[in-house]
Amino acid sequence: MALKFYSAIDWFRLPVILSLVFFLSSPVTFAQPPVLQAPDGQLSSPFAKVYEKVSPSVAKIDVQTRVDSRQQSRDDSRRQLDPFWREFFNVPEQQKEQSNRGVGSGVIVDRDGHILTNNHVIEEATEIEVTLNDDERYTAEVVGTDPETDLAVIKLKLNGKQLPAGYVAEMGDSDQVRPGDYAIAIGNPLGLDRTITVGVVSALGRSDLRIYGGGPRYQNFIQTDAQINPGNSGGALCDINGRVIGINDMYNAQFAGIGFAIPSNMAKTVMTKLIATGKVERGFLGIAGKDIDRDIQSAMALTNSEGLLVESVVSGSPAEKAGLKAGDVIVSLDGGRIKNYNDFSFKVAARNPGDTMSLDVIQGGYRKTLSVKLASRDEFANSGAQTGETPGVASWRGIHVADLNSEQYKAYIPPGVTEGVLVVQVDSDSPALDSGIAEGDVVTEIYIGGARKVIKNVSDFETLKKEQQNNSKRSMLVYRIQKLPNGQTVKGSVTVKGE
């Protein structure tokens, strides 16, 4: 029998070829989506089963709002005519207000008709109409909103009825989700009823996103490549078992396959509070912190990068009263691990005022446990007595300011500046944090609600705060003077979002 000799490259190829043959002949091929086999031998997609289970719980939300035509014109592709040319061409003047309609999605969470959706779907709505799976239509009212997570709850006007049990979504545990798990989005993109798209969980814990208007303050998004488009907002992101693991929230218009959903566990926490009280109260600790990078880990001889470094502690805050200090490292909360500063901030914000929590910290090289009783963030921010502020100091939306004639802050005032208020502190969990305003800036003017206010002193600042107390959701434009490291000053403005 003649023998065939193989070269070295042939011997290298042989196991590869054999492995490929085995893989292709195997009954399970991982490149293919999963299939289900019925007793009669028919194959079907598990995604069809998910759609059958979840789609009745996904509602279509049609919203009507009243908008200022001047504001809308900023987003209008048509140029607005100058009043002179309007008269010349006999073009009628536009109404100051006009109707605007939008469409979104929502997830039914109980038989009483409560629907979980995004705040930006129903924000400033004057009318809300909801279409259900059987094409029944109901009007709805807003139960409560939470712009800080971009979540809201509305309720159908059922007139004493209850919805069928099959219309209620099964909420899943988003803490069990892993990158690579299937992700199925169901919603109403572009008004197309109950559209399903399929992908995977691309990543977890996405934060610091700037996708629309700066994004919500508390961000812990699930990223997915399941297609999400306008109208999907508020809809369901499901796992392969048909459990809702997220509320679809945002997408990237420039790049397909990059969408974001609010984790179901975050949504359930906010939803429960909104249904119970119509609002979300959050506990206040009173620190600013940062993630532990390699340099901090090396300098402090830490065994890993989990936890956070305390950068500053607010005077009079629960953190200060508990003994927290700048330079401490917080490594656990109630015995649970802390991934980073964003993770810690969300866990604190999920607590209620008055809750007590236990913090394991490394302080001065020693590990200790501190007990902290959280304050109410809103009450703390609005109470000068609680913050330990002295006369001549005021705060609004997390910006603490002092008069320029204050001896305590004299060294920080830019040369030649005689009117305005000096920013002496910016709270870490406030609307001002992401605006770019900083300690040492001098605020000279503020625009809000169409009104302009020259700020000469703290009294002017406090007066404007009181005048605009009913406009807490409006953004404000803050004009400030900055002192550069070389001693020069520059003028500019920042936008501070509403609360």
Side-chain angles (χ1 to χ4, degrees):
M1 181 176 64
L3 296 176
K4 182 176 181 181
F5 292 92
Y6 292 89
S7 65
I9 190 67
D10 289 326
W11 284 110
F12 174 78
R13 289 174 178 168
L14 183 59
V16 176
I17 294 171
L18 291 175
S19 298
L20 183 59
V21 171
F22 174 80
F23 179 80
L24 293 176
S25 62
S26 173
V28 178
T29 304
F30 293 101
Q32 300 296 322
V35 294
L36 300 176
Q37 187 169 7
D40 61 0
Q42 295 295 316
L43 300 180
S44 65
S45 166
F47 307 126
K49 294 290 185 181
V50 171
Y51 183 83
E52 182 180 342
K53 175 182 177 179
V54 179
S55 62
S57 67
V58 177
K60 180 182 178 183
I61 301 175
D62 288 290
V63 174
Q64 180 170 306
T65 60
R66 300 292 292 180
V67 295
D68 189 324
S69 62
R70 291 169 295 181
Q71 175 68 26
Q72 189 179 38
S73 68
R74 297 176 188 173
D75 302 322
D76 199 331
S77 60
R78 297 170 297 178
R79 296 182 61 87
Q80 303 297 313
L81 292 175
D82 182 274
F84 171 79
W85 293 109
R86 285 186 174 278
E87 184 176 352
F88 184 84
F89 288 111
N90 195 28
V91 177
E93 183 69 32
Q94 288 187 330
Q95 298 293 322
K96 290 185 178 179
E97 285 192 344
Q98 58 189 36
S99 296
N100 188 29
R101 301 198 68 88
V103 64
S105 306
V107 176
I108 301 170
V109 295
D110 62 30
R111 297 186 65 187
D112 293 329
H114 287 103
I115 296 177
L116 182 61
T117 186
N118 292 141
N119 176 66
H120 76 260
V121 170
I122 52 86
E123 191 173 21
E124 299 181 359
T126 57
E127 295 179 22
I128 303 174
E129 183 180 75
V130 178
T131 306
L132 302 186
N133 183 57
D134 55 4
D135 207 34
E136 277 191 274
R137 298 187 181 186
Y138 298 92
T139 56
E141 59 186 0
V142 176
V143 174
T145 64
D146 184 39
E148 294 182 322
T149 55
D150 195 32
L151 289 166
V153 173
I154 62 175
K155 186 179 181 182
L156 302 179
K157 296 180 180 179
L158 296 175
N159 299 320
K161 295 194 306 181
Q162 279 198 321
L163 297 175
Y167 281 25
V168 179
E170 180 186 357
M171 301 297 289
D173 181 0
S174 55
D175 287 346
Q176 302 302 315
V177 174
R178 302 169 301 172
D181 285 347
Y182 276 110
I184 301 103
I186 301 177
N188 306 285
L190 307 177
L192 301 172
D193 294 5
R194 292 170 189 80
T195 298
I196 179 173
T197 54
V198 177
V200 298
V201 172
S202 304
L204 300 171
R206 293 300 195 200
S207 60
D208 297 324
L209 303 179
R210 302 286 189 272
I211 296 190
Y212 62 88
R217 181 187 302 180
Y218 297 105
Q219 300 184 7
N220 189 31
F221 290 112
I222 298 172
Q223 181 183 331
T224 179
D225 64 351
Q227 195 69 37
I228 295 175
N229 290 296
N232 270 114
S233 293
L237 187 72
C238 310
D239 63 16
I240 196 67
N241 297 301
R243 296 181 292 240
V244 177
I245 57 172
I247 302 299
N248 297 323
D249 190 53
M250 301 190 293
Y251 69 98
N252 192 312
Q254 291 180 300
F255 304 101
I258 301 180
F260 301 95
I262 300 165
S264 60
N265 288 355
M266 177 190 288
K268 285 185 286 188
T269 298
V270 171
M271 174 189 74
T272 301
K273 293 183 178 183
L274 290 177
I275 293 176
T277 66
K279 61 181 181 179
V280 176
E281 285 194 284
R282 292 189 164 88
F284 176 76
L285 177 62
I287 68 164
K290 66 185 299 184
D291 294 348
I292 297 174
D293 58 22
R294 291 183 179 179
D295 293 333
I296 294 174
Q297 184 178 344
S298 174
M300 302 190 74
L302 301 174
T303 57
N304 56 58
S305 61
E306 290 190 349
L308 67 134
L309 176 70
V310 177
E311 288 191 295
S312 62
V313 178
V314 177
S315 176
S317 67
E320 183 184 62
K321 293 176 181 178
L324 275 172
K325 299 177 182 178
D328 290 354
V329 176
I330 302 176
V331 294
S332 74
L333 191 161
D334 287 339
R337 62 189 288 242
I338 299 170
K339 298 176 184 177
N340 49 40
Y341 181 49
N342 183 69
D343 178 46
F344 179 76
S345 297
F346 169 68
K347 288 177 178 176
V348 172
R351 306 296 179 96
N352 295 312
D355 285 354
T356 299
M357 60 187 192
S358 174
L359 300 177
D360 286 340
V361 303
I362 298 174
Q363 189 176 82
Y366 296 94
R367 185 162 179 149
K368 62 172 60 177
T369 300
L370 302 177
S371 179
V372 185
K373 184 177 181 179
L374 298 176
S376 165
R377 191 184 64 184
D378 293 338
E379 290 179 8
F380 191 92
N382 293 325
S383 173
Q386 282 185 312
T387 59
E389 291 176 348
T390 57
V393 178
S395 65
W396 187 19
R397 296 191 183 181
I399 306 172
H400 300 254
V401 299
D403 281 325
L404 297 186
N405 59 6
S406 172
E407 287 294 326
Q408 183 178 357
Y409 302 107
K410 188 175 181 180
Y412 301 98
I413 299 169
V417 178
T418 58
E419 290 185 343
V421 289
L422 180 71
V423 178
V424 297
Q425 180 179 308
V426 179
D427 290 345
S428 62
D429 54 355
S430 70
L433 179 64
D434 294 329
S435 70
I437 199 165
E439 296 176 8
D441 292 353
V442 174
V443 175
T444 58
E445 295 180 48
I446 296 177
Y447 284 76
I448 182 173
R452 169 181 176 265
K453 179 74 171 180
V454 175
I455 306 297
K456 296 181 179 180
N457 48 45
V458 166
S459 179
D460 290 339
F461 187 83
E462 288 185 317
T463 298
L464 182 62
K465 174 183 175 180
K466 292 178 182 178
E467 290 174 350
Q468 298 295 330
Q469 61 183 348
N470 294 327
N471 288 326
S472 61
K473 293 184 179 181
R474 286 184 179 269
S475 296
M476 64 185 188
L477 191 63
V478 179
Y479 281 83
R480 50 97 184 259
I481 299 173
Q482 287 181 291
K483 182 180 178 181
L484 301 179
N486 62 7
Q488 293 181 325
T489 59
V490 294
K491 297 180 179 180
S493 65
V494 296
T495 301
V496 179
K497 293 186 64 179
E499 297 175 322

